[in-house]
Amino acid sequence: MEAPGGCGSEAQRERVLSVEDWLRKWSTGATAFHKEHGHPLLQKHLDLLVDGRSGLRIFFPLCGKAVDMKWLADLGHSVVGVDVSEQALKEFFSDQSLPYCEEPVPGISGAKKLQSTSGNICLYCCSIYDLSSAIVGKFDGVWDRGALVAVNPCDRQRYVTLMSSLMEKNSSYLLITVLYDPNKYNGPPFYVPESEVKSLFGSQCEIKCLQKVSGLSDRHKQWGLDYFLEVMYLIKFVA
Protein backbone atom coordinates (compact mmCIF):
# COMPACT_ATOMS: atom_id res chain seq x y z
CA MET A 1 0.00 0.00 0.00
CA GLU A 2 1.78 3.10 -1.23
CA ALA A 3 0.49 6.64 -1.22
CA PRO A 4 -2.02 7.65 -3.91
CA GLY A 5 -0.42 8.79 -7.12
CA GLY A 6 3.06 7.68 -6.08
CA CYS A 7 3.83 11.20 -4.84
CA GLY A 8 3.60 10.49 -1.14
CA SER A 9 7.25 10.80 -0.23
CA GLU A 10 7.35 14.22 -1.94
CA ALA A 11 5.13 15.53 0.85
CA GLN A 12 7.97 14.86 3.29
CA ARG A 13 10.98 15.48 1.05
CA GLU A 14 11.93 18.81 2.66
CA ARG A 15 11.22 17.74 6.26
CA VAL A 16 14.29 18.19 8.48
CA LEU A 17 14.82 17.43 12.17
CA SER A 18 17.94 18.69 13.92
CA VAL A 19 20.05 16.90 16.50
CA GLU A 20 18.50 19.24 19.06
CA ASP A 21 15.01 18.10 18.05
CA TRP A 22 15.94 14.47 18.80
CA LEU A 23 17.68 15.35 22.08
CA ARG A 24 14.54 17.25 23.12
CA LYS A 25 12.42 14.15 22.45
CA TRP A 26 14.56 12.20 24.92
CA SER A 27 14.75 14.94 27.53
CA THR A 28 10.98 15.51 27.49
CA GLY A 29 10.05 11.84 27.36
CA ALA A 30 8.53 12.11 23.86
CA THR A 31 9.86 8.66 23.00
CA ALA A 32 6.79 6.60 22.19
CA PHE A 33 8.95 5.06 19.43
CA HIS A 34 10.89 3.16 22.13
CA LYS A 35 9.66 -0.40 22.64
CA GLU A 36 9.77 -1.61 26.24
CA HIS A 37 9.97 -5.21 25.06
CA GLY A 38 11.91 -6.86 22.27
CA HIS A 39 10.62 -6.41 18.75
CA PRO A 40 8.53 -9.45 17.72
CA LEU A 41 9.66 -9.25 14.08
CA LEU A 42 13.32 -9.46 15.09
CA GLN A 43 12.57 -12.44 17.29
CA LYS A 44 10.60 -14.13 14.52
CA HIS A 45 13.21 -13.58 11.79
CA LEU A 46 16.39 -13.70 13.87
CA ASP A 47 17.85 -16.67 12.03
CA LEU A 48 17.76 -14.73 8.75
CA LEU A 49 20.15 -12.32 10.44
CA VAL A 50 22.47 -14.76 12.20
CA ASP A 51 21.99 -17.94 10.11
CA GLY A 52 22.63 -20.21 13.06
CA ARG A 53 25.98 -18.60 13.84
CA SER A 54 27.22 -17.08 17.08
CA GLY A 55 29.80 -14.41 17.76
CA LEU A 56 28.61 -12.07 15.02
CA ARG A 57 29.14 -8.30 15.01
CA ILE A 58 25.69 -6.69 14.82
CA PHE A 59 25.07 -2.98 14.33
CA PHE A 60 22.13 -0.98 15.70
CA PRO A 61 22.02 2.41 13.91
CA LEU A 62 20.22 5.16 15.87
CA CYS A 63 19.84 2.62 18.65
CA GLY A 64 18.30 4.70 21.43
CA LYS A 65 17.98 2.32 24.37
CA ALA A 66 16.68 -0.66 22.38
CA VAL A 67 16.29 -3.67 24.65
CA ASP A 68 17.06 -5.97 21.70
CA MET A 69 20.75 -5.04 22.09
CA LYS A 70 20.94 -6.85 25.42
CA TRP A 71 19.01 -9.82 24.01
CA LEU A 72 21.41 -10.28 21.08
CA ALA A 73 24.45 -9.81 23.31
CA ASP A 74 23.09 -12.50 25.64
CA LEU A 75 22.84 -14.81 22.62
CA GLY A 76 26.60 -14.47 22.17
CA HIS A 77 26.88 -11.67 19.66
CA SER A 78 28.89 -8.46 19.80
CA VAL A 79 26.61 -5.43 19.56
CA VAL A 80 27.58 -1.94 18.42
CA GLY A 81 25.14 0.96 18.48
CA VAL A 82 25.17 4.69 17.81
CA ASP A 83 22.89 7.52 18.89
CA VAL A 84 23.21 11.27 19.41
CA SER A 85 21.45 11.01 22.79
CA GLU A 86 23.80 10.30 25.67
CA GLN A 87 20.73 10.14 27.89
CA ALA A 88 19.30 7.26 25.85
CA LEU A 89 22.56 5.30 25.91
CA LYS A 90 23.04 5.74 29.65
CA GLU A 91 19.43 4.77 30.27
CA PHE A 92 20.04 1.58 28.29
CA PHE A 93 22.85 0.50 30.63
CA SER A 94 20.85 1.58 33.69
CA ASP A 95 17.63 -0.14 32.58
CA GLN A 96 19.55 -3.36 31.81
CA SER A 97 21.58 -3.15 35.05
CA LEU A 98 24.80 -3.33 33.05
CA PRO A 99 28.00 -1.71 34.34
CA TYR A 100 29.91 0.19 31.67
CA CYS A 101 32.95 2.36 31.15
CA GLU A 102 33.13 5.57 29.16
CA GLU A 103 35.93 6.95 27.02
CA PRO A 104 36.46 9.47 24.21
CA VAL A 105 36.56 8.32 20.59
CA PRO A 106 39.81 9.12 18.80
CA GLY A 107 39.09 10.98 15.59
CA ILE A 108 35.60 12.24 16.54
CA SER A 109 35.62 15.47 18.51
CA GLY A 110 33.23 15.37 21.45
CA ALA A 111 32.16 11.78 20.87
CA LYS A 112 31.99 9.18 23.63
CA LYS A 113 32.12 5.41 23.61
CA LEU A 114 30.14 3.62 26.30
CA GLN A 115 31.13 -0.02 26.60
CA SER A 116 29.77 -2.71 28.88
CA THR A 117 32.42 -4.05 31.22
CA SER A 118 31.71 -7.48 29.70
CA GLY A 119 32.87 -5.93 26.41
CA ASN A 120 30.10 -7.24 24.16
CA ILE A 121 28.02 -4.04 23.93
CA CYS A 122 29.67 -0.86 22.65
CA LEU A 123 27.58 2.27 22.10
CA TYR A 124 28.86 5.44 20.43
CA CYS A 125 27.42 8.82 21.36
CA CYS A 126 27.84 10.92 18.22
CA SER A 127 26.33 11.53 14.82
CA ILE A 128 26.11 8.33 12.82
CA TYR A 129 27.71 10.23 9.94
CA ASP A 130 30.89 10.61 12.00
CA LEU A 131 31.39 6.83 12.00
CA SER A 132 33.47 4.90 9.51
CA SER A 133 34.76 1.35 9.20
CA ALA A 134 38.13 2.66 10.42
CA ILE A 135 36.47 3.53 13.73
CA VAL A 136 33.87 0.78 14.23
CA GLY A 137 35.00 -1.95 11.84
CA LYS A 138 32.57 -3.87 9.63
CA PHE A 139 29.45 -5.81 10.55
CA ASP A 140 27.94 -9.21 9.86
CA GLY A 141 24.42 -7.96 10.46
CA VAL A 142 22.29 -4.87 11.00
CA TRP A 143 18.99 -4.39 12.80
CA ASP A 144 17.50 -1.18 11.38
CA ARG A 145 14.25 -0.42 13.14
CA GLY A 146 13.61 3.28 13.53
CA ALA A 147 16.78 4.41 11.74
CA LEU A 148 16.17 4.70 7.99
CA VAL A 149 12.65 5.94 8.81
CA ALA A 150 14.09 8.56 11.19
CA VAL A 151 16.90 10.11 9.18
CA ASN A 152 15.90 13.22 7.27
CA PRO A 153 14.54 12.21 3.85
CA CYS A 154 17.18 14.34 2.10
CA ASP A 155 19.89 12.35 3.91
CA ARG A 156 18.71 8.84 2.99
CA GLN A 157 21.22 8.24 0.22
CA ARG A 158 24.05 9.47 2.46
CA TYR A 159 22.82 7.13 5.20
CA VAL A 160 22.63 4.08 2.93
CA THR A 161 26.05 4.83 1.44
CA LEU A 162 27.51 4.89 4.95
CA MET A 163 25.71 1.71 5.99
CA SER A 164 26.94 -0.05 2.84
CA SER A 165 30.52 0.88 3.73
CA LEU A 166 30.11 -0.78 7.13
CA MET A 167 28.84 -4.14 5.85
CA GLU A 168 30.90 -7.29 5.40
CA LYS A 169 30.39 -9.18 2.17
CA ASN A 170 27.44 -11.60 2.42
CA SER A 171 26.14 -9.81 5.50
CA SER A 172 22.43 -9.52 6.32
CA TYR A 173 20.49 -6.36 7.01
CA LEU A 174 17.03 -6.53 8.56
CA LEU A 175 15.14 -3.32 7.82
CA ILE A 176 11.77 -2.11 9.02
CA THR A 177 10.06 0.69 7.14
CA VAL A 178 6.61 2.17 7.66
CA LEU A 179 3.78 2.85 5.23
CA TYR A 180 0.95 5.30 5.79
CA ASP A 181 -0.58 8.27 3.94
CA PRO A 182 2.21 10.88 4.11
CA ASN A 183 -0.20 13.60 3.06
CA LYS A 184 -1.89 13.19 6.46
CA TYR A 185 1.22 13.10 8.69
CA ASN A 186 4.66 14.59 8.10
CA GLY A 187 6.79 12.24 10.19
CA PRO A 188 8.92 10.99 11.77
CA PRO A 189 8.77 8.10 11.35
CA PHE A 190 8.93 8.91 7.67
CA TYR A 191 7.09 7.07 4.92
CA VAL A 192 9.50 4.90 2.88
CA PRO A 193 7.87 2.95 0.04
CA GLU A 194 9.28 -0.27 -1.38
CA SER A 195 10.27 1.53 -4.58
CA GLU A 196 12.59 3.76 -2.55
CA VAL A 197 14.09 0.85 -0.61
CA LYS A 198 14.95 -0.71 -3.97
CA SER A 199 16.42 2.48 -5.41
CA LEU A 200 18.52 3.08 -2.27
CA PHE A 201 19.89 -0.45 -1.81
CA GLY A 202 19.21 -2.19 -5.09
CA SER A 203 22.44 -1.83 -7.02
CA GLN A 204 24.54 -3.91 -4.64
CA CYS A 205 21.99 -5.96 -2.73
CA GLU A 206 19.37 -8.65 -2.91
CA ILE A 207 16.15 -7.35 -1.37
CA LYS A 208 13.28 -9.50 -0.11
CA CYS A 209 10.11 -8.23 1.53
CA LEU A 210 9.48 -10.63 4.41
CA GLN A 211 6.32 -9.40 6.07
CA LYS A 212 3.85 -6.53 6.40
CA VAL A 213 2.18 -6.00 9.75
CA SER A 214 -0.50 -3.52 10.73
CA GLY A 215 0.73 -1.44 13.63
CA LEU A 216 -2.14 1.08 13.75
CA SER A 217 -2.49 2.38 17.29
CA ASP A 218 -4.42 5.14 19.02
CA ARG A 219 -1.30 7.30 18.70
CA HIS A 220 -1.35 6.90 14.92
CA LYS A 221 -5.07 7.65 14.81
CA GLN A 222 -4.37 10.88 16.69
CA TRP A 223 -1.98 11.76 13.86
CA GLY A 224 -4.95 11.48 11.51
CA LEU A 225 -3.95 8.13 10.00
CA ASP A 226 -6.33 5.31 9.13
CA TYR A 227 -3.61 2.77 8.34
CA PHE A 228 -0.02 2.26 9.51
CA LEU A 229 2.02 -0.71 8.31
CA GLU A 230 5.40 -1.96 9.41
CA VAL A 231 7.21 -3.59 6.50
CA MET A 232 10.18 -5.88 7.08
CA TYR A 233 12.89 -6.51 4.49
CA LEU A 234 15.88 -8.79 4.35
CA ILE A 235 18.71 -7.10 2.47
CA LYS A 236 21.72 -9.20 1.54
CA PHE A 237 24.95 -7.43 0.73
CA VAL A 238 26.33 -9.64 -2.03
CA ALA A 239 28.58 -7.17 -3.85
Side-chain angles (χ1 to χ4, degrees):
M1 189 183 294
E2 300 198 0
C7 62
S9 52
E10 292 305 313
Q12 299 179 345
R13 186 63 61 187
E14 305 304 319
R15 182 95 160 98
V16 173
L17 273 74
S18 67
V19 168
E20 289 71 25
D21 290 330
W22 286 106
L23 295 179
R24 193 176 305 114
K25 287 179 182 291
W26 283 102
S27 65
T28 60
T31 55
F33 50 81
H34 171 69
K35 282 189 174 292
E36 295 292 339
H37 305 287
H39 199 293
L41 289 178
L42 176 60
Q43 295 165 4
K44 177 178 179 178
H45 295 287
L46 175 66
D47 201 53
L48 293 174
L49 187 65
V50 302
D51 196 21
R53 299 168 295 167
S54 61
L56 300 186
R57 299 191 78 236
I58 299 178
F59 186 43
F60 279 66
L62 312 192
C63 60
K65 56 178 183 177
V67 300
D68 309 279
M69 295 190 289
K70 170 76 160 47
W71 181 62
L72 280 169
D74 287 345
L75 290 174
H77 303 293
S78 176
V79 171
V80 175
V82 62
D83 204 281
V84 293
S85 173
E86 185 175 354
Q87 176 185 339
L89 302 183
K90 288 186 171 179
E91 285 182 8
F92 166 78
F93 287 110
S94 173
D95 291 351
Q96 303 301 325
S97 302
L98 290 173
Y100 67 94
C101 52
E102 188 178 310
E103 59 187 65
V105 181
I108 308 178
S109 176
K112 295 180 179 179
K113 180 171 77 170
L114 285 62
Q115 186 160 9
S116 62
T117 53
S118 59
N120 58 351
I121 301 176
C122 182
L123 307 183
Y124 289 82
C125 184
C126 62
S127 166
I128 190 170
Y129 302 116
D130 288 334
L131 296 184
S132 66
S133 59
I135 293 170
V136 295
K138 293 198 172 189
F139 298 100
D140 305 300
V142 168
W143 171 240
D144 183 331
R145 180 261 167 189
L148 179 63
V149 298
V151 300
N152 293 325
C154 60
D155 289 332
R156 278 182 198 147
Q157 189 60 66
R158 179 187 184 195
Y159 171 82
V160 171
T161 299
L162 169 66
M163 295 301 291
S164 300
S165 75
L166 300 179
M167 304 302 294
E168 294 280 13
K169 188 177 180 181
N170 297 319
S171 55
S172 297
Y173 188 124
L174 288 180
L175 168 68
I176 290 189
T177 63
V178 293
L179 296 180
Y180 56 82
D181 185 346
N183 297 301
K184 293 184 176 181
Y185 176 67
N186 63 0
F190 296 112
Y191 164 90
V192 182
E194 184 168 357
S195 58
E196 187 155 3
V197 173
K198 288 180 175 176
S199 68
L200 287 167
F201 288 96
S203 61
Q204 56 196 326
C205 304
E206 295 173 356
I207 302 169
K208 181 179 181 182
C209 181
L210 298 175
Q211 192 170 356
K212 296 182 180 180
V213 179
S214 174
L216 187 68
S217 68
D218 289 341
R219 179 168 64 108
H220 301 132
K221 292 175 184 176
Q222 289 168 5
W223 296 347
L225 300 179
D226 48 19
Y227 71 91
F228 185 92
L229 297 175
E230 285 192 310
V231 185
M232 187 169 195
Y233 298 91
L234 171 65
I235 301 170
K236 294 288 289 186
F237 281 75
V238 293

